[in-house]
Amino acid sequence: MPQPRPTDVFAERLLAVLSGARPVHCMLRHTAGRAYDQLVRLAERGPLRTRGARPVVRDIGYYVARPGAVEAFARIGAGDQLRAMAFRLEQGPDLRWRCTAVEMGGPRLPHAENA
């Protein structure tokens, strides 16, 4: 079985924290720079906490900014709502990937086919 991409792993980790399923401190060793502080501020607002459908990663895209640095986005769906999450991963000298930035977009409803 192929190894999951770092973007896939981190999208799921970030989703777990921002939905309230996991505590923020579980990301402490997986972040670097200001990313942990950004994550703490985002998690306090609970941007992916829902009362209905559990949020899931629907799609992930990424751009290799340079060797060892990836900028990624994930579309997060919960019922009819779609949210955007952007994050940057950087590979350290120990070859481990760490999140160095994370941002969330606002809620968006899927657009109607005939609108």
Side-chain angles (χ1 to χ4, degrees):
M1 179 177 283
Q3 191 88 358
R5 294 179 302 201
T7 51
D8 299 348
V9 171
F10 274 85
E12 291 293 340
R13 285 177 179 164
L14 292 167
L15 170 62
V17 168
L18 296 174
S19 67
R22 301 278 318 244
V24 179
H25 69 264
C26 76
M27 288 296 293
L28 197 52
R29 67 187 189 110
H30 301 292
T31 56
R34 295 183 315 198
Y36 185 76
D37 293 333
Q38 291 171 329
L39 195 53
V40 167
R41 281 192 298 279
L42 283 171
E44 285 172 353
R45 295 196 320 249
L48 297 175
R49 288 193 180 126
T50 61
R51 293 216 160 121
R54 186 177 77 79
V56 295
V57 175
R58 288 198 181 160
D59 185 33
I60 298 173
Y62 64 94
Y63 166 74
V64 178
R66 63 171 170 75
V70 176
E71 295 179 356
F73 72 87
R75 290 184 188 99
I76 309 296
D80 289 343
Q81 293 232 333
L82 190 61
R83 301 287 304 264
M85 177 173 62
F87 55 99
R88 181 178 173 94
L89 303 177
E90 294 187 25
Q91 198 171 31
D94 60 358
L95 301 181
R96 287 185 45 219
W97 288 95
R98 289 178 182 83
C99 180
T100 58
V102 61
E103 294 180 13
M104 285 292 308
R108 193 176 112 201
L109 296 174
H111 82 253
E113 301 265 336
N114 299 325

